[in-house]
Amino acid sequence: MQSLRKIRILLILIVLVPTVFIISYQFLSLAEHKNLIEETYRKQLKTILFSVNQNTRNIVENWIALFRRSVLADVVLRDGVSAENLIIDFLKIESEIVSVFLLDKNLDSFRLIEKNRGELNGELILAKLQEANVKTKLHKLVDLHKKQFLTFESVYLSAIAENPTLLLIIFTVAKEKAEPDFAGFILPAETVIETIIAPEMRRVAGSDFVLSCYDEQRRQPIYSTAAQPDTVFDLTNKLWIMPGFQLGIQLEIAELPGLLQAQFQRTVWFLVFLSSTLVVAGFLIYRNIRKDLYLTQLKSDFVSNVSHELKTPLALIRMFSETLELGRVGDENKKQEYYGIIRHETERLSHKVNNILNFSRMEAGKKEYKFKIIDLNSIIDRLVHNYAYHIENEGFELIVDKHTAPLNLLGDSEALTEAFINVIDNAMKYSPEDKFLKITTSSEHDGVAISIEDHGIGIKREHLKKIFEKFYRVSGALVHETKGSGLGLSLVKHIIKAHQGEIIIKSEPGKGSVFQFFFPNSPCNDN
């Protein structure tokens, strides 16, 4: 018991303490993990929005570079017609751009070159370019140009009357030893969204995110990768190319807090499963260790009990043989009695040794049976004849009630005799007061049967399924006082099972037990 207590404490330390520590650590570090995940998630969203803006910017810068390279390389903007022809050719190549305008540094000279003449109102465009906030942008472009940093500015021109909503992209045009003039592209806002922004939004959104482009003031989406766009986003950023518009992004499947909560719940369930598994594993280990310790104790008791059981018949054999050898018995009848005792004790000793040897063979799977047609009544006759002295010597009343006709079955006579002797031996050991034995054979509908009845101490219901386990002994004062190997009924079960038989036990504590054995009919059975 002390060893089991130590093992129990050790398993608790190995299994439960680490499990509790891990679960506690997960709960305590949840907030830290959540902040880390949110920060990582926010950086990812920023990267996605930056990708959309940067892709749009790259497209516009490629247009500007192509325009400077193919149109402005050797042409003075305000002189000659060749520049206009080159611009028309440029507009044919870049189909998204509907018009190009040229503007001097003083904002006085303005020229509008259209792909389709008459579509745009040049006066409205010039008026927009002369607004104070636009002039600020132009001055900024000049300052950056002087620092050799070439970039562009966007101006959003809302729809007026029949004029569509336009996007003006303004950039500087270099002139030798003078301040730069300006040039610009004019694009319909819808075209910018559909052909430049939307494809990149769909690409980066994939199936995981929803990207929307919306009016910053009215909070109204003008394009979204979702069929039903929302106005609540996980992160927003300005749309660089279109002033007054924002890019918004959110997860397609759920919001981040919901995902974190779901992840946390999955982690908790996993930890619960892991801890349960560890507890069950610990319990199974503990149960196996307890069983091994119990078997070790039983084996130790077995050695002690077997030694005692072997000593008793050996002592009797030695005592009576020495008495006969020394010639101390003159009466011939007394001699025959002593010879009989020696023979019976020898048979009892042989039976106990056979039990141990047979158990060893059964454990190794080497036990062999010699099956043949035998009569159950004949087995009982031989058993009673050989064992009668021992039964009577112990003061038992023996009643034998045999079926009148032969009871044939296919079996091993010696093995069955050994099984029945084990049951009788147990009945005698555990019948301290009412010493009664009854052996009955009978013919059943589909086989033959034998029952062995005693008026002993009986067996409790909870022990009935365990008494056939090796080394198992029912607890109780009388049981502990009575020596036994704990192998007898285990051998009985093995033998009966080998004969395709069935064992039924009827027992009541304090009133005795009845062991019934049923065997299938032999083809030669006449009954």
Side-chain angles (χ1 to χ4, degrees):
M1 294 301 294
Q2 189 69 23
S3 299
L4 284 176
R5 191 176 295 109
K6 290 181 180 178
I7 292 170
R8 195 181 300 121
I9 294 172
L10 183 62
L11 286 175
I12 290 173
L13 292 175
I14 293 174
V15 176
L16 293 182
V17 172
T19 302
V20 172
F21 173 78
I22 291 172
I23 293 176
S24 302
Y25 174 78
Q26 287 293 329
F27 275 104
L28 293 174
S29 60
L30 176 63
E32 181 181 349
H33 291 168
K34 181 180 178 182
N35 293 335
L36 179 61
I37 293 172
E38 285 182 340
E39 181 63 25
T40 304
Y41 172 68
R42 191 164 295 277
K43 288 181 179 179
Q44 183 183 10
L45 297 186
K46 286 181 179 179
T47 302
I48 293 173
L49 296 181
F50 178 84
S51 173
V52 175
N53 272 322
Q54 187 61 44
N55 180 73
T56 307
R57 187 180 189 89
N58 290 341
I59 292 174
V60 173
E61 287 179 344
N62 287 337
W63 287 345
I64 295 172
L66 179 62
F67 183 81
R68 285 177 173 146
R69 187 169 58 250
S70 61
V71 176
L72 303 178
D74 299 312
V75 177
V76 178
L77 293 178
R78 288 174 294 176
D79 300 326
V81 185
S82 59
E84 185 171 338
N85 293 333
L86 291 173
I87 291 172
I88 293 296
D89 292 338
F90 173 79
L91 291 174
K92 290 178 181 179
I93 296 172
E94 303 298 340
S95 58
E96 294 89 351
I97 305 172
V98 297
S99 180
V100 172
F101 66 84
L102 304 173
L103 182 67
D104 73 339
K105 61 180 181 295
N106 298 319
L107 309 183
D108 295 329
S109 176
F110 175 78
R111 186 190 303 178
L112 182 66
I113 299 98
E114 299 178 79
K115 186 181 296 183
N116 299 312
R117 294 182 182 275
E119 285 188 351
L120 303 178
N121 189 328
E123 293 180 358
L124 287 176
I125 296 171
L126 179 59
K128 184 67 178 179
L129 293 173
Q130 291 176 340
E131 290 180 359
N133 62 327
V134 178
K135 286 182 179 180
T136 302
K137 291 184 177 183
L138 296 178
H139 291 152
K140 180 181 177 182
L141 284 174
V142 172
D143 292 339
L144 292 172
H145 184 93
K146 290 178 180 179
K147 296 176 182 178
Q148 296 185 345
F149 185 77
L150 303 180
T151 184
F152 65 90
E153 289 287 345
S154 301
V155 176
Y156 188 70
L157 181 58
S158 301
I160 300 175
E162 296 180 356
N163 292 286
T165 303
L166 299 175
L167 179 66
L168 311 182
I169 297 175
I170 310 169
F171 52 93
T172 56
V173 177
K175 291 178 63 180
E176 291 186 8
K177 299 180 181 180
E179 289 190 0
D181 289 329
F182 303 100
F185 303 143
I186 301 176
L187 301 90
E190 291 183 1
T191 302
V192 174
I193 294 170
E194 291 176 1
T195 62
I196 301 176
I197 300 174
E200 182 66 10
M201 289 173 64
R202 290 193 296 268
R203 186 188 70 81
V204 299
S207 59
D208 298 325
F209 298 95
V210 172
L211 266 75
S212 299
C213 177
Y214 64 95
D215 190 309
E216 189 173 2
Q217 292 182 346
R218 293 182 295 173
R219 301 289 296 181
Q220 180 180 355
I222 58 175
Y223 177 79
S224 177
T225 57
Q228 296 180 341
D230 199 351
T231 56
V232 179
F233 304 101
D234 295 334
L235 186 68
T236 60
N237 198 358
K238 290 183 180 296
L239 186 57
W240 296 346
I241 197 173
M242 294 181 67
F245 286 83
Q246 295 267 351
L247 281 173
I249 187 170
Q250 63 187 138
L251 279 176
E252 171 71 26
I253 52 176
E255 295 181 355
L256 182 61
L259 287 177
L260 290 176
Q261 184 66 24
Q263 179 64 34
F264 173 71
Q265 290 177 353
R266 286 194 295 269
T267 303
V268 170
W269 280 114
F270 172 75
L271 290 173
V272 169
F273 170 76
L274 179 62
S275 59
S276 301
T277 303
L278 290 174
V279 169
V280 171
F283 171 74
L284 293 176
I285 293 171
Y286 170 73
R287 190 179 68 173
N288 288 337
I289 293 174
R290 184 180 65 177
K291 187 175 181 180
D292 288 342
L293 289 175
Y294 177 67
L295 288 175
T296 301
Q297 183 62 42
L298 289 178
K299 288 178 181 178
S300 177
D301 294 341
F302 163 75
V303 173
S304 175
N305 292 336
V306 166
S307 299
H308 180 272
E309 286 201 328
L310 294 179
K311 280 182 180 180
T312 302
L314 283 173
L316 290 173
I317 292 170
R318 180 178 179 180
M319 181 182 69
F320 286 109
S321 61
E322 285 181 352
T323 302
L324 291 170
E325 183 182 13
L326 294 173
R328 294 176 180 175
V329 181
D331 186 6
E332 191 63 31
N333 291 331
K334 203 67 174 176
K335 286 182 180 180
Q336 293 301 319
E337 180 185 348
Y338 284 5
Y339 288 138
I341 292 173
I342 292 172
R343 181 175 64 82
H344 287 299
E345 290 301 322
T346 303
E347 288 176 356
R348 192 154 71 97
L349 180 61
S350 177
H351 167 68
K352 295 183 184 301
V353 172
N354 284 337
N355 268 356
I356 298 171
L357 293 176
N358 285 331
F359 174 77
S360 176
R361 293 190 190 102
M362 290 174 187
E363 285 286 283
K366 296 180 180 179
K367 174 64 178 175
E368 296 181 356
Y369 296 95
K370 298 178 181 179
F371 290 100
K372 62 181 180 179
I373 302 299
I374 55 176
D375 179 15
L376 185 59
N377 286 334
S378 299
I379 293 175
I380 299 304
D381 288 339
R382 286 196 301 273
L383 185 152
V384 171
H385 178 267
N386 294 332
Y387 220 62
Y389 173 81
H390 180 61
I391 294 173
E392 293 173 2
N393 192 53
E394 293 292 333
F396 275 82
E397 176 189 358
L398 175 62
I399 297 175
V400 179
D401 183 9
K402 296 187 297 180
H403 191 264
T404 54
L407 300 174
N408 294 327
L409 72 148
L410 185 64
D412 185 322
S413 178
E414 290 185 5
L416 289 175
T417 301
E418 182 181 357
F420 299 149
I421 288 176
N422 275 315
V423 176
I424 293 171
D425 195 40
N426 269 7
M428 293 171 63
K429 284 180 182 178
Y430 302 113
S431 299
E433 296 177 359
D434 191 351
K435 298 188 175 186
F436 172 84
L437 281 174
K438 183 178 181 181
I439 303 174
T440 305
T441 62
S442 60
S443 175
E444 301 297 326
H445 175 67
D446 54 353
V448 297
I450 176 175
S451 67
I452 301 174
E453 179 183 352
D454 67 69
H455 291 173
I457 61 174
I459 306 168
K460 292 182 179 179
R461 182 181 297 272
E462 60 265 26
H463 296 297
L464 289 177
K465 291 184 178 180
K466 298 181 180 180
I467 59 175
F468 293 104
E469 296 177 6
K470 59 184 179 181
F471 305 120
Y472 184 82
R473 303 190 73 204
V474 178
S475 59
L478 178 61
V479 175
H480 288 293
E481 291 174 3
T482 305
K483 298 298 181 180
S485 64
L487 299 180
L489 291 181
S490 178
L491 290 169
V492 170
K493 181 181 178 181
H494 192 282
I495 292 169
I496 301 304
K497 185 178 179 181
H499 286 75
Q500 299 180 359
E502 180 185 1
I503 306 174
I504 296 177
I505 305 174
K506 298 177 182 178
S507 185
E508 189 175 345
K511 295 186 178 181
S513 305
V514 179
F515 281 72
Q516 296 177 308
F517 303 92
F518 296 90
F519 301 96
N521 261 327
S522 165
C524 299
N525 202 339
D526 297 327
N527 297 298

